[in-house]
Amino acid sequence: MIYLDFAAATPVNDKALKAMGPYFAEEFFNPSSPYLPAKKVAAEYESAKAVIARAIGAKATDLVITAGATEANNLAFTALSLGEAEPTFKILYLETEHDSVRRVAEQCGGVAIQVLPSGLIDLEDLKGKITDGTELISVSLVNNELGTIQPLAEVAKIVREIRLDRMRRGVKRQLLLHSDASQALNLLDVNVARLGVDLMTLNSAKIYGPKGVGALYVSHEAKLRPLVAGGGQEQGLRSGTENVPGVIGFATVVAEAKKHVKNNRAKYRELRRILLDELQGYELINKKHTLDNFVILCYNGLDAERLVFLLEDKGVYVATGAACAASKGVRSHVLKAIGLSDSEIAGSLRLSLGELNDAEQMHEAARIINEVVLAERARING
Ligand code: PLP
């Protein structure tokens, strides 16, 4: 098997598995219980949160642990005030966001910010759409279909200027910047202060940690409302008995990611180069401003969904886009947003590389993909 779909799921790292182990059956105590073994577990849970927080330049108390990035993204939107002033421009979100941002933003009457053909945010479009009613801007750090790295610090600069201007004019409305950094932690050095974000979503599942665990970084500027009522865990913002093994695993992989960012970058640059050199008859969609482990290929005129099945037959696992959209047979809103035609979208494959991959696999994958593509072209041309 050559697995090239790490943007959809990553296997849990051995160190994380080992670290999580004792918390399932031996150290199973509820961190809120009053006796000593439970208090020990509570302390270990807090230390694990501190490891995650420190990796992004924050404190444990700035993090709300959630059951994954979808929940963290939904929670971020509770920062909106309940008033109805200018509801249309209250939320601005990048049109290429993951559905867990896009759908909530749409439900709240959000307005989409356009991207340029490169996939980067159109900063002029953003500036033009901010009104005195705007409270929240959501721009992911890395796009999950293209790997595009957004210039978040530049967005934060615009946000700061708007805040200053509002202060000068006595406009009291908050303006917060949220970023979904689900795909970023393995290959980017993420720091909330440097990026200038008020809210940031993290996802254990994309960085070789357990699934169903995530976190929302919340700055002091942002006042959230809980999505679920209950026992008041996580500063009252996310009730429910803590997922101790999940958070221990998450902290382990965050620490690993932080250590290996530089090496990871060099590794994927080389693997990507091999693929791009050896693959034939494609157009590269994500040429610039991208994480090197994302390779988006367009085989115009071919049906990428058929390619996915044909490649699976030969042991190569790839995707046509976000796993959730692909499973519903929905065309990628991301590829549409960067200006691809329907036929180009239909012919596009997402290869996302990860820790299981090496150079030998890239040579083999390129050979198999070339063979399958050639056979498909021959079949179509009769
Ligand atoms: N945000 C991004 C950018 C993602 O890639 C994903 C997962 O595909 C999510 C959010 C949702 O994560 P989860 O399904 O773990 O809640």
Side-chain angles (χ1 to χ4, degrees), residues 52-275:
I52 302 167
R54 215 175 306 126
I56 58 164
K59 296 192 295 295
T61 47
D62 301 332
L63 287 190
V64 179
I65 298 294
T66 58
T70 298
E71 191 190 321
N73 282 338
N74 275 259
L75 186 61
F77 280 81
T78 67
L80 295 173
S81 71
L82 293 170
E84 281 305 306
E86 292 200 62
T88 341
F89 285 95
K90 225 169 171 172
I91 299 172
L92 299 177
Y93 66 100
L94 203 57
E95 61 179 333
T96 50
E97 290 301 300
H98 185 270
D99 275 355
S100 55
V101 165
R102 208 158 64 104
R103 297 285 175 229
V104 204
E106 281 169 0
Q107 279 169 16
C108 306
V111 171
I113 313 159
Q114 284 166 14
V115 293
L116 301 165
S118 61
L120 291 181
I121 182 170
D122 182 340
L123 292 171
E124 292 311 310
D125 189 50
L126 166 68
K127 286 185 205 162
K129 282 175 177 161
I130 299 176
T131 70
D132 278 349
T134 306
E135 291 192 349
L136 184 70
I137 298 172
S138 187
V139 177
S140 56
L141 183 50
V142 172
N143 180 267
N144 60 299
E145 288 194 39
L146 294 169
T148 311
I149 308 164
Q150 295 297 342
L152 214 55
E154 282 180 54
V155 176
K157 189 164 164 257
I158 293 170
V159 167
R160 273 197 303 277
E161 282 164 7
I162 300 280
R163 278 185 193 146
L164 273 175
D165 181 53
R166 282 188 187 177
M167 212 149 70
R168 273 197 290 267
R169 293 185 295 115
V171 177
K172 291 231 166 58
R173 196 171 290 274
Q174 65 173 1
L175 181 61
L176 301 171
L177 178 58
H178 166 247
S179 184
D180 179 354
S182 286
Q183 298 279 353
L185 243 50
N186 265 327
L187 285 143
L188 294 180
D189 192 8
V190 177
N191 179 290
V192 285
R194 247 193 333 264
L195 291 172
V197 293
D198 304 292
L199 296 155
M200 177 173 269
T201 296
L202 305 176
N203 191 348
S204 152
K206 308 294 181 186
I207 57 166
Y208 305 88
K211 294 175 184 58
V213 190
L216 184 66
Y217 158 76
V218 187
S219 79
H220 299 296
E221 302 294 323
K223 303 284 172 268
L224 304 187
R225 280 170 281 124
L227 289 170
V228 285
Q233 291 88 344
E234 302 297 314
Q235 297 90 250
L237 287 170
R238 209 297 181 173
S239 286
T241 304
E242 292 86 345
N243 178 358
V244 179
V247 170
I248 298 284
F250 188 11
T252 310
V253 293
V254 165
E256 285 296 298
K258 194 83 184 167
K259 259 194 280 173
H260 298 301
V261 160
K262 238 189 185 157
N263 287 345
N264 284 348
R265 263 193 231 156
K267 167 181 168 168
Y268 295 121
R269 200 172 309 130
E270 176 57 12
L271 297 188
R272 182 174 146 108
R273 186 197 60 74
I274 297 175
L275 281 176

Side-chain angles (χ1 to χ4, degrees), residues 28-41:
F28 63 90
F29 306 98
N30 187 324
S32 300
S33 295
Y35 29 84
L36 211 59
K39 286 195 167 147
K40 183 171 163 275
V41 168

